[in-house]
Amino acid sequence: MNALKLQLKLLVTKTAFERDLIRLTSTPDLALPPEKLITPILKGLKEEDTNPNSKKNIQTFLNTLSSIKRWEDAAKLLIVAHQAIYDEISAFVHEFSVIEMDNLLVLPDDKDEFTIYVRCGIIKFYYRYLKKLADSYYSVRKCRRYTAGDHSSLLKKNDTQLIFQHSQLKELVNFSAKLEDFFVSSDDIPEIPIAKLFGEMMLRDCIEFYNLVSKFITKTIDSVFSLPDELALALDAVYSDLIRLKEPVSAFYQIKRFFLGVVAFEEPIYYEFSKGFNTKEELYINSIRKQRKKSKLAQSQSMITLPEKTSDYFSIADDEHDHHHDTEYQRSVEDLKPEALRSKSAVLEKKDSLDHETLLTNEEKNYSGDLARDVSQKTHKKVDMNPSITSMLANKITTETNAVKPANFSKIQNLD
């Protein structure tokens, strides 16, 4: 009774925003946070003339989040943070992006209790995603406002920021789509209402950002042939990754059946891949790469300075100390005879010949004899080399359960 009175007394001394935070973290652990609590908290974070305490409220919210010790409480506050970033509450985004919540990265992950391990794992993943989202805030904000006319106009002005911003969105799509692993590989996660909510919020982001990149590439990729080389290569990188992202985005979209239907999101607008255009585009990009290699080679050769005299780069004194190279020494002496001496131009000519031979024999791709090859391989490449959530969790569990003979985990029963 005394504890209850003390709690009531503390509530009386706190602001309305602080009381809402306490009520939010006091809701049942796995249940959906009430919208009637989330809405006023979000309103308290917005910088408005009618809200002079916004900066203080933001700091209070972040202090509360940085002191969380339980994954259930972290999930509730991260959902609020997610919506604040999505709604472009700029002051909150800035503060959230610069603070590190180490407490969320060391949540209890008792490997002996697999359910807790997976639940803490998904919260850590969710937090890392929100950090990436906050770091990409400016790009998201700009890309949401671009029109098709802006795309063409900015490319004509050789605007590198336009491609960089859509590249950041592409990375967000790639990262968020990995959440699908948690839902299809765990029997527990799809049954948790609060996990369903932030999963649906991440799917909303994933589809929106994918569609923005898809529209951008659809409008601009034809201009790749007229862009400066640097811009053409950068645009090709976004184009290639967009093609590869179709599969993970589609897989993520398919798990919407697990969600609650409380978050509105669009249908994915998949990029229409053309094999004929792709072949032409790849040939052009490859020609740029080959030309750049040749230019780099020519530049490196022009920087080579040979000595005027052979003795400047060959020392008999050095060789006398190495008894393992007597044979090489004799050959070198023979080479120093007047008739064996070569001019600098002859040395450069031979080096140019050798380098040219290396360039041809180590060509990354050879398109010259096979224009009809199957370019569909582009769609099977991975966007990045990060391990999947499934493999990370599976490997960690395998290490604990069988240190001598690791087991094979394709799916868990389920990451700068």
Side-chain angles (χ1 to χ4, degrees):
M1 183 61 70
N2 291 333
L4 179 60
K5 288 182 178 180
L6 178 61
Q7 186 177 8
L8 291 173
K9 184 177 179 180
L10 288 175
L11 283 174
V12 171
T13 61
K14 293 185 179 297
T15 65
F17 182 84
E18 291 171 328
R19 291 197 294 271
D20 287 336
L21 280 181
I22 294 173
R23 293 190 185 101
L24 179 62
T25 55
S26 300
T27 56
D29 286 343
L30 305 183
L32 283 179
E35 185 177 349
K36 64 181 181 180
L37 286 179
I38 294 180
T39 301
I41 292 175
L42 287 171
K43 187 175 181 180
L45 297 174
K46 290 182 179 179
E47 285 185 297
E48 297 176 342
D49 294 338
T50 57
N51 183 24
N53 296 321
S54 61
K55 291 184 179 180
K56 179 182 177 181
N57 291 342
I58 290 172
Q59 198 58 53
T60 299
F61 180 92
L62 294 176
N63 288 342
T64 303
L65 182 57
S66 63
S67 64
I68 291 295
K69 302 297 183 184
R70 300 169 64 246
W71 76 269
E72 299 92 340
D73 297 331
K76 299 166 190 173
L77 293 181
L78 287 177
I79 286 173
V80 176
H82 188 168
Q83 193 60 41
I85 299 171
Y86 187 84
D87 289 345
E88 300 181 2
I89 302 178
S90 57
F92 177 84
V93 175
H94 173 73
E95 295 297 330
F96 183 82
S97 64
V98 298
I99 191 171
E100 293 296 331
M101 306 286 182
D102 293 333
N103 59 306
L104 300 183
L105 298 177
V106 295
L107 287 170
D109 56 357
D110 187 357
K111 291 176 286 295
D112 295 329
E113 180 52 61
F114 187 67
T115 298
I116 300 301
Y117 173 70
V118 175
R119 291 179 179 182
C120 290
I122 197 173
I123 292 301
K124 295 173 185 178
F125 176 82
Y126 187 31
Y127 168 67
R128 284 195 290 269
Y129 168 73
L130 293 182
K131 291 291 287 185
K132 288 179 178 292
L133 182 61
D135 290 340
S136 305
Y137 164 74
Y138 179 77
S139 293
V140 172
R141 181 181 172 87
K142 293 289 288 184
C143 290
R144 280 173 169 171
R145 289 160 175 76
Y146 284 136
T147 65
D150 292 331
H151 293 158
S152 301
S153 175
L154 290 172
L155 276 184
K156 288 179 181 178
K157 297 177 182 177
N158 298 336
D159 191 310
T160 58
Q161 284 298 309
L162 179 69
I163 299 177
F164 171 75
Q165 289 156 5
H166 285 86
S167 181
Q168 280 202 311
L169 262 64
K170 174 253 304 179
E171 294 301 327
L172 289 173
V173 173
N174 179 47
F175 192 91
S176 60
K178 295 176 183 177
L179 184 72
E180 180 250 357
D181 256 359
F182 280 104
F183 281 86
V184 300
S185 303
S186 170
D187 295 329
D188 176 62
I189 296 299
E191 301 302 321
I192 302 176
I194 197 169
K196 293 181 179 184
L197 177 58
F198 66 70
E200 196 166 16
M201 293 171 73
M202 286 185 67
L203 177 60
R204 171 199 63 189
D205 295 2
C206 181
I207 294 175
E208 178 188 356
F209 301 154
Y210 175 86
N211 287 350
L212 287 172
V213 179
S214 180
K215 292 175 182 177
F216 166 68
I217 290 298
T218 299
K219 182 64 180 178
T220 61
I221 192 60
D222 287 342
S223 64
V224 70
F225 306 106
S226 61
L227 293 175
D229 289 353
E230 290 290 347
L231 278 181
L233 291 171
L235 185 61
D236 170 73
V238 179
Y239 162 70
S240 300
D241 284 344
L242 176 66
I243 294 171
R244 299 166 192 159
L245 280 170
K246 180 178 180 179
E247 185 176 344
V249 169
S250 178
F252 192 19
Y253 181 64
Q254 294 305 314
I255 69 167
K256 65 180 181 178
R257 65 185 185 277
F258 291 120
F259 300 144
L260 303 168
V262 298
V263 178
F265 51 82
E266 305 171 316
E267 297 281 328
I269 304 173
Y270 296 116
Y271 175 74
E272 295 183 7
F273 176 78
S274 167
K275 182 180 290 189
F277 173 82
N278 185 72
T279 300
K280 180 181 177 182
E281 191 269 350
E282 280 200 343
L283 284 167
Y284 178 73
I285 293 299
N286 190 62
S287 69
I288 293 178
R289 293 192 179 110
K290 288 196 292 186
Q291 184 59 42
R292 288 164 67 88
K293 280 185 179 179
K294 290 179 181 179
S295 299
K296 187 175 181 180
L297 179 62
Q299 183 181 8
S300 64
Q301 288 179 350
S302 67
M303 297 174 65
I304 297 175
T305 304
L306 291 181
E308 292 294 332
K309 296 184 293 184
T310 306
S311 58
D312 290 341
Y313 62 85
F314 179 82
S315 173
I316 295 179
D318 292 338
D319 205 319
E320 288 176 341
H321 292 295
D322 190 350
H323 300 290
H324 297 290
H325 296 285
D326 290 339
T327 302
E328 287 73 13
Y329 167 70
Q330 292 298 328
R331 292 175 180 172
S332 300
V333 172
E334 289 296 318
D335 290 339
L336 289 176
K337 293 179 179 180
E339 62 270 20
L341 292 177
R342 292 167 293 175
S343 66
K344 286 192 292 182
S345 61
V347 174
L348 280 174
E349 182 178 352
K350 182 174 182 181
K351 176 175 175 56
D352 179 71
S353 175
L354 289 174
D355 285 337
H356 184 63
E357 180 182 351
T358 303
L359 182 63
L360 291 178
T361 54
N362 290 324
E363 196 67 63
E364 289 182 1
K365 292 181 181 179
N366 183 6
Y367 296 92
S368 57
D370 186 15
L371 293 179
R373 65 187 182 81
D374 183 5
V375 296
S376 64
Q377 59 179 331
K378 200 166 193 176
T379 62
H380 298 298
K381 295 178 182 178
K382 298 294 183 183
V383 176
D384 61 29
M385 297 302 292
N386 292 329
S388 68
I389 301 165
T390 299
S391 62
M392 287 187 65
L393 292 174
N395 289 338
K396 192 166 186 178
I397 297 161
T398 301
T399 304
E400 296 296 324
T401 58
N402 191 345
V404 178
K405 184 179 180 182
N408 293 323
F409 286 82
S410 58
K411 291 289 183 183
I412 68 166
Q413 300 168 11
N414 184 18
L415 198 200
D416 91 19

